């Protein structure tokens, strides 16, 4: 398949691999997924793609290419493999729907992983609908994962966020990534959940970059940052939920909570007011 050839060429060109890369398209209990492995990697990343309601996925006989699932992002696979993580990337269908059936997805993905290779660390992430699904799976089954990264997700889907007990999380690597020009899910919908989790889990991160609602907006810089967080190479010790990207407890970039979001969605006024106060100290960061 041309996407596998493309991924392998990227791996060869961007990294010095002494071990072979194994990319398999697998059907497990009627669900298609990719399992991408490198040598002796002992950790695994589950990555959930977006667009689960796209009619394109109604054709379950079709083999969907990785380039489609990752929306053209060329950095995730080679950089994650290089960091010591294998990848499991499932393809959505009527049952494998992480928006509406995340318990089923969790059980099947964990069963597949446990039956295929022994991993000492599991991490979950995803973009858009995949970010939302990874949020739901992680917060219902936090003991199964070392951490979570949500890219442009929507924790408020079906009011799921209202059921989350953030206080029980205190030792995980958690990050919320978004883009300034996302017209579907404004970054403020992630900022509020970052603030709630940060209070008990110091290594909770929030990061916003230029770009729209597409995973190919995330370039090598951002994927490397995601990996540094995932592998605990960036750490914080303080729990104050400052509306910023924090590194070693220092503000790197402060983000405004836009008043128009409060007006348009009737959402986040409490955090907008906090943001106004914080901006007096951090807005030039």
């Amino acid at each position: 398949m041309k996407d596998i050839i493309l991924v392998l060429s990227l791996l060869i060109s961007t990294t010095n691999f002494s071990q072979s890369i194994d990319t398999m398209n697998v059907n497990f209990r009627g669900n298609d997924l990719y399992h991408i492995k490198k040598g002796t990697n002992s950790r695994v990343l589950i990555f959930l793609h977006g667009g689960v309601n796209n009619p394109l996925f109604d054709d379950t006989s079709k083999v969907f290419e990785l380039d489609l699932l990752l929306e053209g992002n060329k950095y995730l696979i080679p950089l994650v493999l290089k960091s010591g993580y294998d990848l499991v990337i499932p393809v959505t269908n009527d049952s494998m729907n992480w928006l509406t059936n995340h318990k089923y997805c969790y059980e099947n993905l964990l069963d597949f992983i446990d039956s295929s290779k022994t991993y000492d660390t599991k991490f979950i992430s995803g973009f858009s609908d995949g970010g939302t699904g990874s949020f739901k799976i992680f917060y219902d089954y936090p003991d199964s994962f070392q951490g979570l990264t949500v890219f442009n997700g929507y924790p408020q889907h079906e009011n799921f966020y209202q059921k989350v007990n953030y206080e029980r999380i205190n030792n995980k690597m958690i990050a919320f990534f978004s883009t300034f020009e996302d017209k579907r899910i404004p970054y403020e919908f992630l900022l509020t959940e970052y603030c709630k989790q940060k209070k008990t889990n110091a290594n909770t991160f929030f990061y916003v970059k230029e770009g729209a609602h597409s995973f190919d907006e995330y370039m090598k810089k951002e994927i490397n940052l995601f990996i540094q967080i995932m592998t605990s190479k960036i750490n914080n010790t303080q729990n104050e939920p400052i509306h910023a990207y924090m590194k070693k407890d220092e503000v790197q970039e402060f983000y405004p909570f836009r008043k128009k979001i409060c007006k348009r969605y009737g959402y986040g006024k409490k955090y907008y007011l906090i943001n106004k106060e914080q901006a007096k100290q951090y807005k030039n960061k």
Side-chain angles (χ1 to χ4, degrees):
M1 291 162 44
K2 65 181 181 180
D3 62 311
I4 295 176
I5 295 172
L6 176 60
V7 169
L8 290 175
S9 66
L10 281 165
L11 293 173
I12 294 170
S13 65
T14 59
T15 58
N16 180 20
F17 281 82
S18 60
Q19 300 165 316
S20 61
I21 307 302
D22 184 6
T23 301
M24 298 187 300
N25 182 264
V26 180
N27 187 282
F28 182 74
R29 298 177 181 169
N31 301 304
D32 289 332
L33 56 86
Y34 285 92
H35 192 196
I36 309 169
K37 300 181 288 185
K38 170 181 175 278
T40 58
N41 281 357
S42 62
R43 299 173 288 184
V44 64
L45 169 69
I46 297 172
F47 188 87
L48 308 179
H49 68 76
V52 297
N53 294 318
N54 189 329
L56 184 69
F57 293 111
D58 291 344
D59 184 0
T60 56
S61 66
K62 184 176 181 179
V63 176
F64 295 97
E65 299 181 353
L66 283 166
D67 192 57
L68 171 70
L69 301 180
L70 299 181
E71 303 188 13
N73 188 293
K74 303 299 189 295
Y75 299 100
L76 181 77
I77 292 175
L79 294 177
V80 167
L81 286 172
K82 185 180 179 181
S83 74
Y85 278 79
D86 290 345
L87 294 100
V88 171
I89 304 175
V91 180
T92 191
N93 58 44
D94 286 345
S95 299
M96 186 64 70
N97 184 322
W98 33 87
L99 283 185
T100 61
N101 202 8
H102 68 279
K103 179 181 179 182
Y104 172 89
C105 297
Y106 164 77
E107 292 173 345
N108 278 264
L109 290 170
L110 267 289
D111 283 351
F112 169 74
I113 289 171
D114 291 342
S115 68
S116 61
K117 186 175 176 179
T118 300
Y119 292 105
D120 56 38
T121 300
K122 300 179 182 72
F123 202 98
I124 190 164
S125 181
F127 172 77
S128 190
D129 288 346
T132 304
S134 65
F135 182 90
K136 291 185 175 186
I137 290 172
F138 175 82
Y139 279 105
D140 267 355
Y141 308 98
D143 293 340
S144 296
F145 303 98
Q146 181 59 36
L148 160 76
T149 294
V150 175
F151 291 93
N152 299 69
Y154 184 55
Q156 295 77 17
H157 181 260
E158 295 183 344
N159 292 319
F160 181 86
Y161 74 119
Q162 293 181 357
K163 301 182 292 184
V164 172
N165 181 5
Y166 292 101
E167 292 182 358
R168 68 174 173 162
I169 307 294
N170 56 34
N171 63 346
K172 305 288 186 178
M173 303 302 295
I174 299 173
F176 299 93
F177 280 67
S178 192
T179 45
F180 284 112
E181 291 80 36
D182 190 331
K183 305 300 184 184
R184 298 184 189 179
I185 307 171
Y187 64 80
E188 287 85 352
F189 284 87
L190 292 171
L191 175 56
T192 58
E193 305 318 297
Y194 153 80
C195 290
K196 296 171 188 176
Q197 184 60 89
K198 178 73 170 173
K199 290 179 180 179
T200 59
N201 191 84
N203 278 318
T204 304
F205 298 83
F206 184 67
Y207 185 89
V208 187
K209 72 174 297 291
E210 297 296 334
H213 188 90
S214 179
F215 193 53
D216 69 353
E217 298 281 9
Y218 291 96
M219 309 303 288
K220 185 176 182 179
K221 174 185 174 182
E222 292 81 36
I223 298 301
N224 272 327
L225 176 58
F226 155 57
I227 291 170
Q228 288 171 349
I229 293 171
M230 182 170 66
T231 55
S232 302
K233 292 181 179 177
I234 299 176
N235 285 278
N236 293 313
T237 62
Q238 303 300 312
N239 291 103
E240 183 182 0
I242 300 171
H243 299 186
Y245 167 49
M246 305 292 294
K247 181 179 180 181
K248 297 181 180 179
D249 298 315
E250 296 290 335
V251 173
Q252 306 299 310
E253 183 177 6
F254 183 80
Y255 306 112
F257 197 115
R258 296 167 294 186
K259 188 175 183 179
K260 67 180 182 181
I261 301 303
C262 296
K263 291 183 176 180
R264 184 178 303 168
Y265 300 99
Y267 179 82
K269 184 176 180 180
K270 169 186 172 182
Y271 293 93
Y272 166 71
L273 295 174
I274 293 172
N275 188 272
K276 285 184 65 177
E277 291 301 312
Q278 290 188 0
K280 296 174 183 178
Q281 182 177 354
Y282 301 114
K283 68 179 179 179
N284 293 322
K285 295 290 187 179

